[in-house]
Amino acid sequence: MDVKSRNYLLMNRQALEKDIKTSYIMDRMISDEVLTLQEEEKVKQQNTQKERAAMLINIILTKDNNSYRSFYNALLHEGYRDLAALLQDGIPAISSGNGKSSMDGMTSYVKTILCEGGVPQRPVVFVTRPKLVDAIKQKLCCLGSDPGWVTVYGMAGCGKTVLTAEALRDHQLLEDYFPGGVHWVSIGKQDKAGLLIKLQNLCSRLENDSTLSQRPPLNTEEAKDRLRLLMLRKYPRSLLILDDIWDSWVLKAFDNQCQVLITSRDRSVTDAVAGNKYEVHVESGLAHEKGLEILSLFVNMKISELPEQANCLVRECKGSPLVISLIGALLRDFPSRWEYYLKQLQNKQFKRIRKSSSYDYEALDEAMSISVEQLNDNYKDYYKDLSILPKDVKVPTKVLCILWDMETEEVEDILQEFVNKSLLFCDRNGKSFHYYLHDLQLDFLTEKNRNQLQELHKNIVNQYKKYYKLNTPVPSQEDCMYWYNFLAYHMAGANMQKELHDLMFSLDWIKAKTELVGPAHLIHEYVEYSSILDQKNGTVRENFQEFLSLNGHLLGRQPFPDIIQLGLCQPETSEVYQQAKLHAQRETGAFYLEWINKKSLKNLYRLVVRPHRDAVYHACFSKDRQRIASCGADKTLQVFKAESGERLVEISAHDDEILCCAFSADGEFVATCSADKKVKVWNSRTGQCRCVYEEHSEQVNCCQFSNRSGQYLLATCSNDTFIKLWDLNKKYCRNTMMGHVNSVNHCRFSPNDEYVASCSTDGTVKLWEARSANELKSIEIKDFFKNADDQPDDVEVLVKCCSWSGNGDMLLVVAKNKLLLFDVKTCDLLTQVIVSHHSTIQYCDFCPGDELVAVALSHCSVELWNIKSLSKVAYCRGHMSWVHCVAFSPDGSLFLTSSDDQTIRIWETKKVCQSSDAVLKSELDVVFHNGEVMILAIYNQKHLQLINGNADSVNMQTAAQESTISCCCLSEDLKFAAFGQESGTIKVLRLLDGKVLKSREAYRTSVQRCRFTSDCQTLISSAHDSVIQVWNWQLSECVFLRGHKEAIKDFRLLENSKLLSWSFDGTVKVWNITTGSTEKDFACHGGAVLSCAVSPDGSKFSSTSADKTAKIWSFESSSVLHELKGHEACVRCCTFSPNNKLLATGDDKGEIRIWDILTGALLHFCSPVTVDEGEPTHGGWVTDLSFSPDSKMLVSSGGYLKWWNVTTGESLQTFYTNGTNLKSIHVSPNFKVYVTVDNLGILYVLQKL
């Protein structure tokens, strides 16, 4: 809108708002097509007359000059002459057709000109497309007074004719550019005789008032000549419109130096004529909302009142105005047939969608087939080949070069012919061209060639095989992505079972494809083509699908993990494992590991996805269980398939972290709420923003839709202490619930939507009536947290979340480490459970069956509890960090968990409930003895287990101890074991029968370390204090080593009854364990000493520290030989190479450095290549290091295990453990067996292949 017009509206706004009644004014503006029905609805929703007038003016201010003119005319017509006079001087001047709406000056003059010229009237239902109308006007203005051609081209049914007619309804355009009038001729598909009749009719029309009524022209040449004279003498500066031109020879009859607009499907149709040429391309698709608008006008309903099928119908019509109008016209006559016509479209039964009065073709497929019939015969075959192209995919030229075995230029010439006839669309992408069919064209082709599709698919697969032979496409080739995405689709279409089997069950293909596009598409293909893949044996497909589902989060990252190594971790019966083993044995010089005790581990989850680049705060299932929505710290909303993890929608949704997301009951919408104080609602399929609510004044913590389909009621709660209810059909908040005095963390509708429950940091849970927003009940949760004297606990009780039982009778509430179950009617506490003493509950969810409750805990795990029996049913481990959310699927068969570790895991409830929760602590001891691997581990906190690592069997297990076991050790002869407890007690037992031989209450704090001397008679231990105890347990004598000022970090035995110890006080000491005296004292570092290592010749030791340095010391001179600087974090571990030449150090940044002992020079930097968002490849700290006997390899532990080439500093292999935080790695003397435990308590015994 012009600035001047805008200012007049703003200046006179108060007078207008005070006086006008909007309803009749809006009627006129709608008939002028400057106001939409949705905008009228928005105005009507306001409460008072003044508010309605204000809203209407706000809407007009966002529009163009036509709206101002229409508003002014409406005021005049409705008797507001004094108000219209205020706006009169602001009326914008009419310029050329640029930027003007189709209603510009639809005066009696225009009506007369168009009527005389035979321009078609508007269809009964018309929806404006102003951009395209303006584009046509603009090109007509470009003609000026010179002869020339404007071509409006596009595929069948895209609206060319209607838009052209609309562009002519413009007073200024006709008056300034075509004062001689306009003359419309519908041509269509014609032979010479038919064309002559059209020309004769046109001439007689133009001569109608002539006194000399001439005979009709006898041939086209005569007709052309007569037309030229008429246009020159009688109708100078007029416009000739030729609608629906098919052939360029037809145009020659009209090529007589006048101004012509033509509509055609063939862009190149004007190549045969002379003069200036302009083009307007009419896109094939209407926006979804426009499609709904057409349907609503046909059936005379508001968009909001249309049935559910309307959305699906518009989607199936692929945006084609023709098809939507065909359907709309049918529904007007048969209002109950929504479902019927939807099915016909879905089944491609175009013939049953019969004729619409405004279109020439009997049915949709006829309109399409006439276009195809115009092609010459060999071109028809090429066009038929396109029947098997996938929908909505732009295909590079190279794919069609392979299909037709032709040079690029030849292929481009053929395709250009299709493009010119609007049978194909072309997209220029940099230097190369990509081609695609409109969905309706593709539907038509597949329907027409249904019986030949299998052969056509077979042909493209064979051409691919012929071109690539045994190779696979490489990423630099333009066709590469096409084959990785669609080769399996073509093989399935051709029913080539063997080829599909070989492709989908090939680790090489999986590796290449997942590196390019991630695992989700492959998982989708296993599901999609399962009927073909399972014909011989369904187990193989299940093996591969499970492998990708459970390792997908690793396969989607950089650097790409070794897929052979991941395959070797599969069960030995799996086809994936067998293929991986063959690969590993074939590759000479490669380093692979066999996980020899993996049999005991069962995978309880069904899918692991990593859709976000940061913590995932919330995730939820759609009601049909097909999709999952998730959100988190990366400010995005993701929607993906629950079966495969395939991404459907990704939206950068907010300006700050997104804290919660929720599907509407019908799955059409997803709501998000954020720390940016906003609530937004999105279309879950298109990702378009439906509305934004900004009434909360602080971060919004939770959002949830009501449970009934079709009723879009949304509850949100915030740190501003309020809960708000929103109706999606209204712009502002419907109700605000006030009563909490601190942040509201969570809110939930009851199953029948009558109530809302809310949880707050103020220590209360409140129940509200949804309809009235009145507070019904309040429960003081802090009353249920008492201290030892039965007084209320002083600590603030933060109520985290709540969940309703399926019948709505009970409410489950979470605070601190307790689950509390309340009766909704009486607010009585029915039961309570203390879930954990070590961590807090982050979230909970009731299973729809009402017995099971899932609980997410801050220490990375999820537990399932039976709320009736008050027993823990299952313990789910898998996440590597805090779990923020847990949610059951609507039928309770699955549940998902989301975590700080950036993953979402989907679990099978039944499988999880049947599992046992055996967990090992990370403190263990290993003895490699006569080829056997004997492991002493702490099992479920209070038992000791002796495990044979080779056989994966438990040789001995102790009874439960009275206090938690904190550390353990084995004697070298495997006769004894010792363990320390959190109570400070140390015990020695016999391994043969597990009998405790000696016990000693040694400390007041938890025992941290214990080790036997080589003669097995003495046990050395340390705790959370500064004293080391040397206990001869057989003689019951004890020597105390006192001297450190702070807690001991660790110690190791030296030769000749010497002991090396290091402490948080920054010192390292050498002791004589017989006498208890200090022999050497080294003040090593300013910070805590975190590790020490002794050189193989015993002359030196190294120390590493929290001060980010490492040092090499001489035992003999007690002096520092080298100070090793360069680490950027705490140096956590160190080890000498067996050849006495190298020292390796590892730090908390995940970096490893290799130093020359002699010179102190840095030789290699084992650089963890940084991956997405700068995450270190070692997954955190480097906790332990060990060299191979030949000093050429190094193994390190941290977030997972890595093997390095010492000479080059390159990584040789990575072993991804299920959990993380590996505290140590035990390595066999021959460097072939490795033992560790992750933070999930899973034991790994790995053997080099």
Side-chain angles (χ1 to χ4, degrees):
M1 187 181 293
D2 291 350
V3 175
K4 182 182 169 190
S5 309
R6 189 180 177 79
N7 287 342
Y8 267 82
L9 263 181
L10 292 168
M11 262 182 344
N12 299 297
R13 183 175 189 146
Q14 274 182 317
L16 291 163
E17 287 177 3
K18 201 163 77 179
D19 287 349
I20 62 173
K21 288 183 179 168
T22 52
S23 55
Y24 292 112
I25 287 171
M26 289 197 295
D27 284 350
R28 288 198 170 273
M29 292 179 76
I30 286 167
S31 71
D32 283 354
E33 296 190 11
V34 296
L35 197 69
T36 66
L37 295 171
Q38 290 97 318
E39 288 165 342
E40 180 193 31
E41 195 61 31
K42 204 186 269 187
V43 174
K44 283 181 177 172
Q45 283 170 1
Q46 307 310 307
N47 298 322
T48 65
Q49 179 184 317
K50 189 175 179 183
E51 282 172 353
R52 287 192 285 276
M55 175 59 76
L56 178 59
I57 290 166
N58 282 342
I59 289 169
I60 295 168
L61 284 165
T62 65
K63 292 179 172 284
D64 61 5
N65 293 339
N66 305 313
S67 307
Y68 188 101
R69 289 193 202 98
S70 176
F71 183 50
Y72 169 82
N73 289 329
L75 289 173
L76 275 179
H77 284 291
E78 296 304 327
Y80 297 102
R81 292 185 178 281
D82 53 337
L83 293 177
L86 295 175
L87 299 183
Q88 190 168 356
D89 289 342
I91 295 174
I94 297 179
S95 61
S96 79
N98 297 349
K100 299 255 279 296
S101 138
S102 58
M103 276 318 295
D104 241 355
M106 181 58 181
T107 56
S108 56
Y109 163 72
V110 171
K111 285 177 185 167
T112 307
I113 294 282
L114 299 191
C115 188
E116 287 175 354
V119 176
Q121 291 189 329
R122 271 205 191 109
V124 185
V125 166
F126 173 72
V127 175
T128 172
R129 293 160 81 184
K131 269 190 186 168
L132 284 166
V133 171
D134 288 350
I136 296 170
K137 288 186 196 177
Q138 212 170 353
K139 298 300 182 196
L140 287 171
C141 294
C142 290
L143 286 173
S145 54
D146 299 326
W149 306 80
V150 174
T151 307
V152 179
Y153 71 95
M155 68 173 279
C158 67
K160 302 180 290 291
T161 302
V162 173
L163 291 165
T164 301
E166 196 56 29
L168 301 174
R169 292 185 180 98
D170 185 325
H171 185 113
Q172 205 68 40
L173 177 75
L174 298 181
E175 196 171 70
D176 292 355
Y177 290 91
F178 308 111
V182 296
H183 312 288
W184 185 291
V185 188
S186 291
I187 304 287
K189 182 83 190 96
Q190 294 298 344
D191 57 14
K192 291 199 173 171
L195 178 62
L196 181 58
I197 293 167
K198 294 275 180 191
L199 284 162
Q200 288 169 340
N201 290 343
L202 177 61
C203 289
S204 83
R205 202 165 88 198
L206 295 176
E207 292 165 342
N208 63 355
D209 62 342
S210 172
T211 47
L212 284 165
S213 185
Q214 299 185 40
R215 63 163 174 78
L218 299 177
N219 56 50
T220 49
E221 283 306 312
E222 188 184 337
K224 179 179 176 181
D225 209 41
R226 191 178 301 179
L227 187 60
R228 183 176 59 79
L229 289 170
L230 281 166
M231 298 297 280
L232 189 67
R233 293 176 185 170
K234 193 173 176 191
Y235 300 98
R237 296 192 65 205
S238 64
L239 178 68
L240 183 61
I241 300 110
L242 306 176
D243 185 31
D244 199 19
I245 294 289
W246 284 77
D247 299 296
S248 53
W249 63 265
V250 171
L251 287 190
K252 290 184 179 171
F254 300 91
D255 186 8
N256 47 25
Q257 296 295 297
C258 58
Q259 295 180 313
V260 187
L261 182 150
I262 66 167
T263 71
S264 178
R265 305 176 197 192
D266 189 343
R267 180 184 181 179
S268 63
V269 80
T270 54
D271 288 355
V273 292
N276 297 327
K277 291 169 193 170
Y278 303 96
E279 289 180 350
V280 179
H281 178 219
V282 179
E283 298 98 340
S284 49
L286 282 175
H288 191 78
E289 290 300 318
K290 289 274 184 203
L292 289 174
E293 196 180 329
I294 292 179
L295 280 184
S296 71
L297 291 168
F298 263 112
V299 297
N300 199 19
M301 293 165 85
K302 289 179 182 166
I303 288 180
S304 56
E305 293 169 354
L306 291 172
E308 278 179 29
Q309 293 95 329
N311 275 307
C312 303
L313 266 172
V314 172
R315 271 200 291 276
E316 285 297 328
C317 290
K318 319 296 191 302
S320 165
L322 165 64
V323 189
I324 295 171
S325 302
L326 286 173
I327 298 288
L330 290 163
L331 286 166
R332 186 176 51 201
D333 299 336
F334 303 103
S336 60
R337 289 193 179 176
W338 290 87
E339 191 63 39
Y340 172 75
Y341 290 128
L342 175 59
K343 276 190 186 139
Q344 297 309 323
L345 268 179
Q346 286 169 337
N347 299 330
K348 316 291 180 250
Q349 296 292 327
F350 298 132
K351 284 194 170 63
R352 297 199 188 167
I353 299 167
R354 302 311 298 173
K355 177 177 174 179
S356 148
S357 58
S358 64
Y359 210 77
D360 289 345
Y361 305 112
E362 185 64 11
L364 178 64
D365 57 351
E366 196 177 327
M368 304 248 184
S369 60
I370 290 171
S371 291
V372 178
E373 286 309 313
Q374 292 308 299
L375 297 169
N376 67 38
D377 289 345
N378 57 342
Y379 275 60
K380 280 181 197 165
D381 286 338
Y382 291 132
Y383 196 62
K384 182 172 42 172
D385 286 343
L386 305 183
S387 310
I388 52 161
L389 294 186
K391 273 194 179 173
D392 303 318
V393 173
K394 294 180 179 176
V395 181
T397 317
K398 177 82 182 287
V399 171
L400 298 161
C401 292
I402 292 170
L403 172 60
W404 293 330
D405 203 1
M406 287 183 186
E407 294 298 319
T408 306
E409 291 75 13
E410 289 177 276
V411 169
E412 284 174 356
D413 288 346
I414 293 169
L415 297 174
Q416 190 56 44
E417 182 71 17
F418 301 151
V419 171
N420 288 341
K421 290 189 163 32
S422 296
L423 288 170
L424 186 68
F425 296 93
C426 176
D427 196 14
R428 183 154 198 160
N429 186 352
K431 288 180 183 173
S432 63
F433 291 101
H434 285 63
Y435 297 91
Y436 61 100
L437 288 161
H438 183 273
D439 282 5
L440 284 170
Q441 290 168 325
L442 198 52
D443 289 346
F444 162 74
L445 272 177
T446 48
E447 188 60 32
K448 187 178 179 210
N449 302 309
R450 178 163 298 284
N451 298 330
Q452 300 170 61
L453 291 179
Q454 191 166 322
E455 275 309 308
L456 293 171
H457 278 293
K458 200 172 198 174
N459 182 36
I460 196 169
V461 173
N462 289 334
Q463 289 297 100
Y464 166 86
K465 285 162 70 179
K466 178 181 163 188
Y467 184 85
Y468 279 108
K469 300 183 174 67
L470 295 171
N471 304 315
T472 48
V474 294
S476 58
Q477 293 165 316
E478 64 163 320
D479 60 326
C480 163
M481 290 302 284
Y482 181 86
W483 298 118
Y484 280 119
N485 280 320
F486 301 111
L487 184 56
Y489 155 78
H490 289 304
M491 286 177 174
N495 199 21
M496 298 170 84
Q497 191 197 338
K498 183 186 181 303
E499 286 83 351
L500 187 64
H501 197 279
D502 292 347
L503 183 80
M504 298 289 288
F505 301 151
S506 149
L507 280 178
D508 290 330
W509 178 258
I510 291 169
K511 178 178 191 294
K513 177 159 177 166
T514 46
E515 276 187 26
L516 272 177
V517 297
H521 191 257
L522 254 173
I523 298 169
H524 166 74
E525 287 178 329
Y526 285 122
V527 177
E528 185 83 0
Y529 309 134
S530 56
S531 57
I532 302 172
L533 293 169
D534 291 354
Q535 279 174 21
K536 280 187 184 170
N537 179 0
T539 318
V540 176
R541 195 253 317 152
E542 286 167 11
N543 291 163
F544 277 89
Q545 190 176 325
E546 183 177 82
F547 170 60
L548 282 171
S549 298
L550 303 184
N551 292 287
H553 60 301
L554 297 173
L555 293 169
R557 70 201 289 171
Q558 297 292 330
F560 196 81
D562 188 323
I563 202 159
I564 308 300
Q565 184 56 66
L566 290 177
L568 287 168
C569 297
Q570 296 302 292
E572 290 182 14
T573 52
S574 162
E575 177 69 23
V576 181
Y577 168 82
Q578 286 159 22
Q579 269 200 44
K581 187 139 189 184
L582 281 174
H583 271 274
Q585 287 164 345
R586 276 204 305 264
E587 283 188 45
T588 49
F591 187 93
Y592 287 111
L593 299 140
E594 183 88 83
W595 181 5
I596 57 179
N597 69 318
K598 67 187 168 205
K599 284 197 286 292
S600 52
L601 188 78
K602 287 182 178 63
N603 273 316
L604 304 178
Y605 28 88
R606 172 162 162 170
L607 179 68
V608 186
V609 284
R610 193 162 173 250
H612 294 272
R613 293 195 186 88
D614 209 332
V616 190
Y617 292 143
H618 197 85
C620 56
F621 285 97
S622 61
K623 198 107 181 220
D624 61 5
R625 215 187 81 171
Q626 298 301 306
R627 294 175 296 155
I628 290 170
S630 65
C631 60
D634 65 1
K635 309 175 196 171
T636 69
L637 167 69
Q638 308 280 351
V639 181
F640 54 90
K641 288 184 182 175
E643 180 83 56
S644 64
E646 189 175 358
R647 183 174 287 149
L648 300 170
V649 175
E650 177 177 24
I651 308 165
S652 294
H654 286 266
D655 302 324
D656 207 335
E657 297 185 332
I658 306 176
L659 305 175
C660 186
C661 58
F663 273 107
S664 60
D666 60 5
E668 279 300 307
F669 300 107
V670 181
T672 55
C673 60
S674 161
D676 68 7
K677 310 175 191 172
K678 292 176 190 166
V679 177
K680 297 187 182 183
V681 179
W682 310 86
N683 183 310
S684 71
R685 296 179 198 282
T686 66
Q688 283 181 312
C689 188
R690 160 82 185 255
C691 42
V692 181
Y693 300 126
E694 302 188 55
E695 288 185 32
H696 282 293
S697 58
E698 291 192 42
Q699 81 171 29
V700 190
N701 295 314
C702 179
C703 55
Q704 198 218 353
F705 276 103
S706 53
N707 298 300
R708 275 203 293 274
S709 266
Q711 177 194 346
Y712 298 122
L713 203 57
L714 180 70
T716 61
C717 61
S718 160
N719 282 4
D720 62 11
T721 74
F722 302 134
I723 302 111
K724 288 181 180 283
L725 288 187
W726 315 84
D727 185 332
L728 256 59
N729 298 317
K730 298 197 172 129
K731 190 172 179 182
Y732 301 106
C733 169
R734 188 174 106 168
N735 279 323
T736 301
M737 301 170 177
M738 294 176 272
H740 285 293
V741 294
N742 208 330
S743 306
V744 188
N745 302 312
H746 198 250
C747 57
R748 277 284 177 270
F749 278 100
S750 62
N752 62 6
D753 292 333
E754 286 182 20
Y755 308 109
V756 174
S758 61
C759 306
S760 168
T761 306
D762 64 13
T764 66
V765 170
K766 291 183 187 287
L767 293 182
W768 314 79
E769 194 174 50
R771 193 181 293 259
S772 65
N774 292 332
E775 183 182 325
L776 293 174
K777 293 167 182 176
S778 184
I779 306 170
E780 292 281 346
I781 300 296
K782 49 180 181 276
D783 293 349
F784 299 96
F785 287 84
K786 303 280 176 65
N787 60 20
D789 307 322
D790 213 32
Q791 295 299 309
D793 211 324
D794 289 340
V795 184
E796 180 183 61
V797 175
L798 190 151
V799 189
K800 273 275 177 76
C801 100
C802 61
S803 183
W804 292 83
S805 63
N807 57 13
D809 292 345
M810 298 180 288
L811 188 69
L812 184 71
V813 178
V814 160
K816 291 189 175 179
N817 59 349
K818 273 189 188 178
L819 284 177
L820 303 128
L821 190 66
F822 292 95
D823 183 298
V824 173
K825 286 196 179 78
T826 62
C827 290
D828 292 342
L829 179 69
L830 299 174
T831 186
Q832 60 175 315
V833 184
I834 296 175
V835 170
S836 167
H837 290 286
H838 301 288
S839 62
T840 57
I841 303 174
Q842 298 293 101
Y843 206 86
C844 73
D845 196 30
F846 237 127
C847 184
D850 286 353
E851 281 195 15
L852 278 186
V853 172
V855 182
L857 297 162
S858 57
H859 70 230
C860 320
S861 67
V862 174
E863 294 178 358
L864 296 190
W865 286 74
N866 184 313
I867 205 71
K868 288 188 178 167
S869 64
L870 302 188
S871 58
K872 181 162 58 166
V873 178
Y875 173 83
C876 313
R877 51 196 181 156
H879 284 294
M880 299 192 188
S881 190
W882 279 34
V883 183
H884 288 290
C885 166
V886 57
F888 280 100
S889 61
D891 63 359
S893 63
L894 304 174
F895 64 94
L896 60 77
T897 54
S898 71
S899 161
D900 261 355
D901 66 10
Q902 306 177 13
T903 68
I904 295 164
R905 287 167 193 256
I906 292 124
W907 313 71
E908 290 184 49
T909 312
K910 199 171 173 185
K911 222 186 208 185
V912 167
C913 291
Q914 292 164 351
S915 68
S916 61
D917 59 344
V919 178
L920 303 184
K921 282 187 79 164
S922 54
E923 290 76 12
L924 50 79
D925 196 16
V926 181
V927 170
F928 299 97
H929 182 72
N930 295 337
E932 289 205 322
V933 185
M934 300 308 294
I935 302 153
L936 188 68
I938 302 161
Y939 167 76
N940 283 1
Q941 311 266 353
K942 294 191 174 181
H943 301 265
L944 266 194
Q945 276 190 348
L946 182 67
I947 299 164
N948 182 323
N950 307 64
D952 192 14
S953 59
V954 177
N955 287 9
M956 182 276 299
Q957 182 175 313
T958 65
Q961 301 300 308
E962 65 287 350
S963 163
T964 300
I965 302 173
S966 51
C967 63
C968 62
C969 65
L970 279 168
S971 65
E972 285 178 24
D973 59 8
L974 292 177
K975 288 182 178 173
F976 307 106
F979 60 92
Q981 294 176 266
E982 285 186 3
S983 60
T985 305
I986 298 174
K987 295 182 181 177
V988 177
L989 56 85
R990 188 166 52 216
L991 286 175
L992 193 63
D993 52 8
K995 184 186 175 188
V996 174
L997 303 175
K998 284 283 172 75
S999 177
R1000 179 166 184 271
E1001 289 179 18
Y1003 298 95
R1004 290 180 183 170
T1005 59
S1006 174
V1007 185
Q1008 291 299 295
R1009 301 271 187 276
C1010 60
R1011 251 174 232 136
F1012 282 104
T1013 54
S1014 53
D1015 61 6
C1016 310
Q1017 294 182 10
T1018 303
L1019 188 70
I1020 303 167
S1021 60
S1022 66
H1024 273 309
D1025 63 15
S1026 59
V1027 180
I1028 298 169
Q1029 298 190 16
V1030 181
W1031 176 37
N1032 186 321
W1033 59 274
Q1034 291 187 336
L1035 302 175
S1036 299
E1037 292 171 359
C1038 193
V1039 176
F1040 297 88
L1041 310 182
R1042 303 178 199 275
H1044 284 296
K1045 294 184 175 62
E1046 287 182 46
I1048 311 294
K1049 180 72 175 77
D1050 205 349
F1051 55 81
R1052 67 171 286 170
L1053 281 155
L1054 305 174
E1055 290 176 350
N1056 307 324
S1057 304
K1058 303 282 194 297
L1059 183 84
L1060 187 75
S1061 67
W1062 51 98
S1063 159
F1064 287 97
D1065 63 11
T1067 67
V1068 174
K1069 298 182 189 293
V1070 178
W1071 308 84
N1072 182 316
I1073 58 171
T1074 315
T1075 63
S1077 59
T1078 311
E1079 297 205 345
K1080 301 245 178 190
D1081 198 343
F1082 299 87
C1084 290
H1085 294 273
V1089 181
L1090 300 178
S1091 74
C1092 285
V1094 177
S1095 64
D1097 63 4
S1099 66
K1100 305 173 193 70
F1101 76 91
S1102 58
S1103 61
T1104 71
S1105 166
D1107 66 10
K1108 304 181 187 175
T1109 67
K1111 294 180 181 178
I1112 301 174
W1113 301 81
S1114 161
F1115 276 120
E1116 198 177 333
S1117 65
S1118 300
S1119 61
V1120 65
L1121 299 174
H1122 301 292
E1123 184 172 0
L1124 312 175
K1125 292 181 176 176
H1127 283 286
E1128 294 171 17
C1130 295
V1131 190
R1132 180 86 27 201
C1133 56
C1134 58
T1135 185
F1136 283 95
S1137 64
N1139 66 7
N1140 218 20
K1141 289 179 180 177
L1142 309 171
L1143 177 76
T1145 54
D1147 68 21
D1148 286 2
K1149 209 178 157 194
E1151 293 177 352
I1152 297 163
R1153 287 161 195 259
I1154 297 172
W1155 312 83
D1156 185 313
I1157 296 174
L1158 203 61
T1159 63
L1162 177 65
L1163 297 176
H1164 290 296
F1165 176 59
C1166 295
S1167 158
V1169 190
T1170 51
V1171 296
D1172 335 2
E1173 302 299 301
E1175 170 195 329
T1177 47
H1178 221 305
W1181 301 355
V1182 182
T1183 54
D1184 202 1
L1185 293 161
S1186 183
F1187 276 100
S1188 60
D1190 62 3
S1191 306
K1192 288 181 181 176
M1193 283 171 73
L1194 180 73
V1195 61
S1196 59
S1197 64
Y1200 28 80
L1201 298 175
K1202 275 185 101 66
W1203 284 259
W1204 305 89
N1205 180 322
V1206 172
T1207 324
T1208 62
E1210 288 172 5
S1211 168
L1212 295 170
Q1213 189 53 272
T1214 303
F1215 186 91
Y1216 290 97
T1217 48
N1218 287 25
T1220 182
N1221 298 350
L1222 315 173
K1223 286 193 178 172
S1224 61
I1225 172 102
H1226 298 263
V1227 184
S1228 65
N1230 64 1
F1231 205 68
K1232 286 190 175 169
V1233 181
Y1234 314 87
V1235 181
T1236 189
V1237 170
D1238 65 19
N1239 65 338
L1240 305 179
I1242 299 170
L1243 176 69
Y1244 300 86
V1245 181
L1246 309 176
Q1247 187 163 6
K1248 183 176 180 289
L1249 262 180

